[in-house]
Each structure stands twice: as C-alpha cells, then as structure tokens.
C-alpha cells in the first residue's frame, strides 16, 4: 500500500513537472550528459527550464536525493549510475542580459556564450574563461579559470537556492579558493558579473585567441575527457609530475593518460569509471612514492 502511494505520488509529481516544461527521463544513461562519456544510469534525469518548476521540484520528495549537473565537463559518474535525481538547468536558466558594465546570466547559461556576449559588447574581465566548457553554475561553483585568473574576480553577486530557499549572496560572503567555493551545497540559479567597459577590446580578443591556441596545442580536445584530473599542487604542475613518473600514455581498459597532456585522462575505447579510477589511483601512488606529494582530484567523482 505504502509503495503504491509513493508510486502514485511520484507519478503525479512527474506529470506536474512535465506540465511546467520539464523534460523528465527515467533510467537515463549519464554517459550522454558528461564530456567523459562515462557513467551508468540515473534513476531520473530532469531538465528544469524555469523557477516555478524548480520550486515545484524542491517541494517534492524528489528533492530528498538529487545532484545538480551543469555541462558535465568536470565530472566522473560511476558505472553504477546515480540513485536519485540528476537535475539540469535549461530554458530560462540559460538567459543572458546586459545592463551597463554588468552581465546577468542564468546558472544554466553556457560559459562560452557569456564570454561571447561580453566580447561583443566590449566588456572585459572574463577572458580567462576562454576555452573552458560547461555552464555558469559549474564555473562559479568550482571557481573556474586558468593558471593566473579565476572567474570569481568578476563575480558581483549570486542567486542561489540553499536548503530549498532562495538567497542573493554578495561576492564578499562567498569563499572562493583554487577550483573551489563555499557554494557546493547550493543550486546557483543566477550570477551577476561586474565587468569593465571599453571602447574597443582588441587586447581582450588577443588574450582569448592566445588561450584557445594554447589549448589546441596542449590538450587532447578530440577525445572524450573531463579536463584536468588533478589540481596543481602548490608550486608544481600535476601534468609535469605525472610525466616525470613515466605514466604518460599508460592505459587501463579503455582509459588512457593522454600522450599530449599528463593531467588529462582520455576515454579512448568505451572506458568505464573503474578504468579511470584505477588510473587515478596509479598516478597518486607513483607521484606520492617519487615526490612525496599527495595529488588531489579536481574532477568531481559522483557515486
Ligand atoms: C577540455 C576541457 C578543458 C577544461 N579546462 C578547464 C580550465 O582551463 N579551467 C577550469 O577551471 N576548468 C576546466 N575544465 C573543467 C570544467 O570545464 C570546468 O570546471 C567547468 O566550469 C565545469 O562546468 P560544468 O557546467 O560542466 O559543471 P559540471 O561538470 O556539470 O559540475 C561541476 C560541479 O559544479 C556543480 N554545479 C554545476 N552546475 C551547478 C549549479 N547551477 N549550481 C551549483 N552547482 C553546480 C556540480 O554539482 C559539480 O559539483 C575543463 C574541462 C574540459 C573537458
């Protein structure tokens, strides 16, 4: 009886969410939703296009166990998939608007679209995002950037749902660190950036173009991957350490440490999460053994 009631209730929730424009998918392969192309099935995958639908989701039992997914470009899903709901912001959450020297955008907006909008409007400050895939939510949550600059520098305020309640947080109330922030338990729905207005932005275009050229030469962009696997330890390059322990090109199953960049693992042949995790363990072991350095993963491993 209890089971029957639960099923009827969740059926009703799914119907309500669908009526509000959500795309509700059952037993959805997560390999379809991440750049690594790895991962088992999620019980449910729900693409949520507006705030009303998000609130409805939060007010349902489904919100007891969910994971917020952006572009899936910094993620390793497990082979067993995800027991619960994977939520993805779409529709209105992808909107971008400009007011003076500020850009306001939804948590689901693509970082590349926001950068393009900034450049087209002679607004500078986001050039460090050039070539970084994924969404604004993922970028701000993980303080994305390059070696010298991070997205948090130009964040002004952030709208989030925390414990199902909406809050607008000023940047000074958020702790941003190296590929980290205190926003990890929030759903980022909107971000306001404060940028610099110029009459011409040739320098910005040059910085963007240089960033992209460098990536094309140094990263295996034509094979599925999730970007840098490890954070760079203070004063070291994780990629160089991996190269020095002789692991570049090492394969386990369908996964391989890139020949081009030691800190990238590529999915060359239907790799499993197990293959990738075995390479991660091997790298950590060898780097620790030779350099006494404990590498910390940058990618999020979701079980
Ligand atoms: C080829 C390649 C190159 C890369 N280069 C860089 C680089 O130079 N610098 C860099 O920093 N990163 C880089 N990355 C990693 C990745 O692109 C960034 O970390 C990106 O910002 C992740 O965004 P995403 O939307 O894909 O997040 P996801 O991978 O979907 O999620 C990452 C984390 O963010 C959280 N998250 C996502 N959306 C939200 C939201 N709306 N609210 C709250 N939390 C959310 C997720 O729960 C998860 O914990 C690279 C990746 C690839 C594949």
């Amino acid at each position: 009886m209890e089971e029957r009631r639960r099923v009827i209730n969740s059926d009703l929730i799914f119907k309500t969410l669908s009526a509000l424009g959500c795309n509700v998918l059952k037993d959805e392969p997560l390999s379809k939703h991440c750049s690594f192309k790895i991962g088992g099935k999620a019980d449910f995958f729900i693409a949520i296009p507006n705030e009303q639908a998000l609130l409805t989701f939060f007010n349902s039992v489904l919100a007891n166990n969910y994971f917020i997914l952006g572009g899936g470009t910094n993620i390793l899903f497990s082979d067993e998939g995800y027991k619960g709901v994977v939520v993805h912001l779409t529709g209105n959450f992808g909107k971008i608007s400009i007011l003076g020297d500020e850009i306001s955008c939804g948590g689901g907006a693509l970082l590349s679209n926001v950068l393009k909008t900034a450049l087209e409007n002679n607004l500078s400050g986001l050039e460090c995002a050039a070539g970084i895939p994924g969404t604004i939510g993922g970028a701000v949550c993980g303080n994305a950037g390059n070696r010298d600059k991070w997205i948090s520098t130009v964040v002004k305020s952030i709208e989030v749902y925390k414990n199902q309640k909406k809050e607008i947080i000023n940047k000074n109330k958020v702790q941003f660190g190296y590929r980290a922030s205190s926003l990890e338990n929030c759903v980022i729905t909107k971000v306001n950036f404060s940028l610099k207005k110029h009459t011409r932005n040739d320098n910005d275009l040059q910085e963007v173009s240089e960033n992209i050229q460098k990536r094309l030469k140094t990263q295996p962009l034509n094979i599925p991957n999730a970007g840098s696997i490890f954070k760079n330890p203070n004063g070291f390059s994780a990629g160089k350490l991996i190269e020095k322990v002789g692991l570049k090109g090492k394969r386990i199953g369908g996964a391989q440490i890139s020949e081009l960049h030691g800190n990238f693992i590529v999915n060359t042949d239907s790799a499993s999460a197990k293959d990738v995790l075995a390479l991660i363990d091997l790298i950590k072991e060898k780097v620790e053994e030779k350099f006494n350095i404990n590498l910390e993963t940058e990618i999020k491993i979701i079980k």
Side-chain angles (χ1 to χ4, degrees), residues 91-108:
N92 289 352
F93 293 112
K95 285 188 178 165
I96 305 170
S97 60
I98 300 180
L99 191 64
D101 59 1
E102 288 187 14
I103 288 192
S104 168
C105 52

Side-chain angles (χ1 to χ4, degrees), residues 9-27:
N9 282 345
S10 29
D11 216 37
L12 191 68
I13 295 161
F14 292 137
K15 277 194 183 135
T16 312
L17 288 173
S18 300
L20 290 169
C22 295
N23 190 13
V24 181
L25 303 167
K26 194 170 183 281
D27 291 331

